[in-house]
């Protein structure tokens, strides 16, 4: 019978893992997972882990969901894949119809890719190409927020701002215009989220006015900068941004790859600001966490700017081999069925309140500077010295200590630097949350007690 050890040696001989300094695995054990069920993962030694981060923010309804499994099995027997150029299939048509209905009003066209970063590349190219097709070839630039994250491919990295991922590759990247984020962790004492977000918008307004002639679009993560340490801001910022983009004729690209499908409490975060972007990117939870798929929704105006006789050479010739894969679309349709069949969002609202109540005691912890939440995303920021506002140096890897401590207690957390967060599958129950909070609290004591 195989154990963790069986797989670890074989893995480390041939697999190069994502987002990992591989040398860490000389002392940090890799965990081979044998199976998943609901919020639980199980390794080859029989140890179980509560997946509190939805396997990198993709899983919505738990692992091995019987309904999604059945839908996939059925699709597998008829069509696994076919190219989407010149051909089509029922799962992609059905999914597109549903997304157009569910997305903020005005988004009428679905262009597919197979991961979030690729969706961002599509969005950037589409916006640039739109303006070019309109005869505005001087529009070549993008505005992005500080601390933003849009993925790892070169275009996506260029419009992101997390130094850890970006800095090394800076010489390869196009230049974006970076405007300070409305990040409410940085607000003045006594100032509220709304007030801070409104004040921060003035820099954006100025940048928009100054650069309008050369701008394709502004790209933002709505309400939560997830990879940027789960920093959050008020919906009012999106409302102001939508108005200002319209005033100067610049696209608004909203990246809901992480926030989409209920994470922030509403199906899409945009709804809380009551806005529609010109271009919307979705990924991650789109398939319920089953298969890689992403989609870029655009307005009819954008679509029509590409629609012309072939000889005008104005078509959008972007493609990926697995664009609109039928199995992935089937998983996405099954996931949307679950949203239709069950009161997911109202149950999540209740779970979100339960999570927040459960962490109340931590607010007084001498090394917790803030607890913040948007729907099913709850973040706990650790700090070295609360009074001085002095953060822990990154070299101390405090979050990693929480990670190790939690794993030993059967919980999978994956802190971002000094920020611990919960982004669980929606099938988590109160007992699971109690365990999660108990282990997190222990982990924080453990990680902040040592020098
Ligand atoms: C994860 C993420 C991406 C990139 O998606 P991948 O599928 O990892 O390429 C882009 N934007 C946001 C906001 C994300 O969280």
């Amino acid at each position: 019978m195989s154990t963790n050890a069986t797989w670890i040696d074989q893995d480390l001989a041939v697999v190069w893992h994502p987002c990992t300094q591989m040398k860490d695995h000389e002392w940090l054990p890799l965990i081979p997972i044998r199976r998943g069920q609901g919020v639980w993962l199980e390794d080859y030694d029989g140890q179980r882990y509560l997946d509190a981060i939805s396997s990198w923010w993709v899983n919505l309804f738990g692992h091995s969901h019987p309904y999604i499994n059945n839908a996939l099995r059925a699709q597998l027997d008829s069509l696994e894949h076919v190219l989407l150029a010149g051909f089509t299939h029922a799962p992609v048509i059905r999914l597109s119809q549903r997304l157009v209905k569910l997305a903020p009003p005005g988004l009428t066209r679905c262009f597919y890719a197979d991961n979030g970063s690729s969706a961002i590349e599509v969005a950037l190219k589409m916006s640039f190409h739109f303006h070019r097709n309109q005869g505005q070839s001087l529009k070549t630039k993008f505005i992005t927020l500080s601390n933003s994250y849009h993925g790892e491919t070169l275009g996506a990295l260029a419009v992101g701002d997390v130094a850890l991922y970006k800095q090394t590759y800076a010489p390869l990247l196009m230049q974006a215009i970076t405007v300070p984020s409305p990040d409410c962790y940085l607000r003045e004492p006594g100032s509220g989220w709304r007030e801070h977000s409104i004040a921060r918008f003035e820099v954006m307004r100025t940048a928009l006015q100054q650069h309008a002639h050369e701008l394709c679009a502004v790209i933002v993560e709505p309400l939560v900068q997830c990879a940027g340490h789960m920093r959050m801001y008020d919906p009012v910022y999106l409302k102001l941004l939508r108005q200002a983009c319209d005033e100067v004729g610049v696209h608004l690209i909203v990246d809901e790859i992480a926030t989409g499908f209920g994470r922030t409490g509403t199906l899409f975060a945009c709804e809380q600001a009551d806005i529609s972007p010109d271009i919307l990117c979705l990924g991650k939870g789109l398939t319920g966490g089953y298969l890689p798929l992403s989609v870029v929704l655009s307005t009819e105006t954008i679509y029509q700017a590409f629609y012309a006789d072939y000889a005008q050479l104005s078509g959008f010739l972007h493609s990926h081999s697995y664009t609109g894969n039928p199995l992935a679309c089937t998983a996405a349709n099954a996931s949307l069925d679950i949203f239709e069949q069950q009161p997911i969002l109202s149950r999540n609202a209740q779970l979100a309140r339960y999570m927040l109540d459960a962490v109340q005691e931590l607010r007084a912890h001498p090394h917790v500077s803030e607890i913040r939440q948007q729907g099913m995303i709850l973040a706990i920021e650790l700090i070295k010295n609360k009074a001085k506002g002095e953060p822990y140096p990154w070299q101390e890897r405090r979050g990693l200590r929480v990670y190790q401590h939690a794993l030993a207690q059967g919980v999978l957390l994956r802190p971002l630097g000094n920020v611990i967060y919960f982004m669980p599958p929606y099938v988590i129950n109160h007992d699971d949350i109690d365990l999660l909070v108990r282990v997190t609290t222990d982990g924080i004591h453990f990680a902040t007690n040592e020098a």
Side-chain angles (χ1 to χ4, degrees), residues 1-204:
M1 209 183 81
S2 62
T3 62
N4 284 5
T6 322
W7 293 108
I8 291 171
D9 286 347
Q10 295 186 57
D11 175 291
L12 292 177
V14 287
V15 182
W16 193 343
H17 288 266
C19 202
T20 300
Q21 169 49 264
M22 291 301 294
K23 193 166 192 294
D24 278 355
H25 284 310
E26 289 179 9
W27 53 271
L28 186 68
L30 187 65
I31 303 171
I33 293 298
R34 182 217 299 267
R35 66 166 74 97
Q37 186 69 62
V39 296
W40 294 97
L41 297 167
E42 186 187 321
D43 71 15
Y44 283 82
D45 290 346
Q47 163 86 327
R48 299 199 321 149
Y49 308 90
L50 198 173
D51 184 356
I53 59 157
S54 298
S55 285
W56 259 355
W57 322 343
V58 300
N59 189 287
L60 297 187
F61 302 114
H63 296 275
S64 198
H65 192 285
Y67 183 82
I68 305 178
N69 287 4
N70 280 335
L72 278 173
R73 280 192 200 100
Q75 180 59 36
L76 200 49
D77 283 335
S78 55
L79 178 68
E80 82 301 333
H81 184 69
V82 64
L83 75 167
L84 199 63
F87 289 77
T88 192
H89 50 84
V92 80
I93 296 168
R94 176 113 178 83
L95 178 60
S96 307
Q97 290 168 335
R98 298 171 88 176
L99 290 173
V100 164
K101 262 207 193 102
L102 291 169
L107 297 164
T108 56
R109 300 283 167 173
C110 299
F111 191 100
Y112 289 87
D114 44 27
N115 63 79
S117 305
S118 297
I120 298 296
E121 303 290 337
V122 167
L124 300 176
K125 286 175 70 178
M126 192 182 273
S127 175
F128 163 78
H129 198 162
F130 167 88
H131 293 296
R132 193 186 150 85
N133 281 353
Q134 304 281 89
Q136 295 189 289
S137 44
L138 293 178
K139 283 179 166 277
T140 57
K141 296 221 154 63
F142 297 89
I143 288 186
T144 185
L145 294 176
S146 61
N147 190 46
S148 58
Y149 179 86
H150 298 289
E152 301 289 341
T153 53
L154 294 176
L157 262 190
V159 294
D161 185 50
V162 176
L164 181 62
Y165 309 127
K166 179 172 185 175
Q167 209 155 300
T168 309
Y169 309 101
L172 304 182
L173 305 177
M174 67 172 171
Q175 289 289 312
I177 298 160
T178 307
V179 165
S181 159
D183 177 359
C184 288
Y185 184 70
L186 305 176
R187 71 195 183 279
E188 296 296 321
S191 161
W193 280 29
R194 189 178 153 82
E195 190 183 348
H196 177 78
S197 301
I198 292 173
R200 276 297 185 114
F201 186 75
E202 287 317 306
V203 203
M204 175 64 88

Side-chain angles (χ1 to χ4, degrees), residues 262-339:
R263 291 289 179 197
T264 67
T266 40
L267 192 62
F268 299 110
C270 280
E271 293 169 28
Q272 295 182 46
D274 197 20
I275 61 147
S276 292
D278 301 286
I279 298 177
L280 175 69
C281 300
L282 303 174
K284 291 200 165 113
L286 173 60
T287 62
Y290 265 67
L291 286 161
L293 182 71
S294 62
V295 61
V296 178
L297 282 90
S298 84
T299 61
E300 196 63 19
T301 308
I302 291 177
Y303 177 79
Q304 289 300 338
F306 291 83
Y307 197 88
D309 290 330
Y310 186 84
Q312 288 195 22
L313 296 177
S314 62
F316 192 54
L317 302 187
H318 187 99
S319 69
H320 297 287
S321 311
Y322 282 97
T323 294
N325 172 261
L327 286 167
C329 290
T330 297
N333 277 315
S335 175
L336 291 181
D337 288 345
I338 296 173
F339 274 108

